[in-house]
Amino acid sequence: MREFITGLPKCELHLHVEGTLEPGLRFELARRNAVGRPYETVEQMRADYDFNDLPSFLACYYEGISVLRTEQEFYDLAMAYLRKAASENVRYAEIFFDPQAHTSRGVPFDVVIRGLRRALVDAEAGLGIGAQLIMCFLRDFQAEYAMATLLEALPYRDWIVGVGLDSDEKGNPPAKFAAVFARARQEGFMLTMHCDVDQEDSIEHIRQCIEQIGVDRIDHGVNVLEDPALVEVVRQRGLGLTVCPISNSYVTDSMKTDAIRRMLDMGLRVTINSDDPAYFPGYLQENLIAVHEALGLSREELVQLERNAFEVAWLPRHVKDAFLAELDAYAG
Ligand code: ADE
Ligand code: ZN
């Protein structure tokens, strides 16, 4: 089955590029740019990764991010991820980036997006992997800063397929960003938002996402299962849920594989993803293997998870169909 999962044409829809900053590259950049805590070795730095919930993870994640400065460094970060993804037969990835995690410490938006974009273009040409960028707003910053970031992104409109919302959810509901997401919709962006797992007011946040914001997808969203009426809306609208099992095991009490089983059985468009694999060890392949080992998924169910992902990807119909044909050919 490991071999089957490795060869499976895969689609990643929930991946923070800053969350792919592996300790080795982080250590090298920290030295080069003389930023961050002065660690003697990579192992020492890695030993400081200590988190058991979303806020403690985010503290570690932002500390890691602080080493990124130049366009070339953003390029190297994205290219390292795309190489890894291509090696696992990820055929297409939608990649989150957090511009405010950089502009807030003086790195220009233009530097960030040019580095990332150049990596995506080179990876498509050189590795044959497709990818698009999703710009996330940090929900623990003010809505006005998110709006200013959206306006700053407009000259790069063609390089960004959609917008998302991440960072600390506590006290930062979707409704806080209603005006920002309404403007993003007007500008033609696709919309998604994190509804992290087991948060305070999880159900209310999922409800706002669907009813008030009108999202096209939900990131995580596992707690929707607690509300049958909302489940029905998610099913009827065919909304994708980008679930991240290994990530869940680090910031909640489990991988939430029982929820994945129920979502699959109910015909929801659940997908498996890797979130921040440099911190929650396991890229897409390892996440699929973990779910397979927990649930004993059949080949058909593994194929269904990838079919869901390609179906809810933000791609033109004919491009999706080409990936789906590849998947069908593999499934035999
Ligand atoms: N930013 C990066 N990873 C995140 C996650 N899992 N949840 C919320 N914000 C994030
Ligand atoms: Zn995430």
Side-chain angles (χ1 to χ4, degrees), residues 28-48:
E28 186 190 317
L29 296 183
R31 281 257 157 122
R32 185 193 301 165
N33 293 331
V35 281
R37 289 188 211 152
Y39 294 106
E40 290 292 323
T41 63
V42 182
E43 292 69 32
Q44 222 180 56
M45 194 183 74
R46 182 73 185 79
D48 247 13

Side-chain angles (χ1 to χ4, degrees), residues 14 16 194 220 275:
H14 187 150
H16 301 263
H194 276 54
H220 299 292
D275 210 3

Side-chain angles (χ1 to χ4, degrees), residues 14-16 54 57 96 136 165-167 194 196 219-220 242 244 247 274-276 280:
H14 187 150
L15 183 282
H16 301 263
L54 185 57
F57 159 68
F96 295 131
C136 282
L165 186 68
D166 64 2
S167 204
H194 276 54
D196 257 287
D219 297 313
H220 299 292
T242 64
C244 308
S247 161
S274 47
D275 210 3
D276 301 283
F280 312 130

Side-chain angles (χ1 to χ4, degrees), residues 12 14-23 46 49 57 61 81 84 88 246-247 250 273-284 286-287:
E12 170 75 77
H14 187 150
L15 183 282
H16 301 263
V17 74
E18 294 91 346
T20 70
L21 179 60
E22 290 288 348
R46 182 73 185 79
Y49 286 18
F57 159 68
Y61 170 84
Y81 164 68
K84 172 75 181 167
E88 293 189 344
I246 295 178
S247 161
Y250 279 82
N273 306 274
S274 47
D275 210 3
D276 301 283
Y279 295 88
F280 312 130
Y283 285 74
L284 183 48
E286 293 307 321
N287 274 275

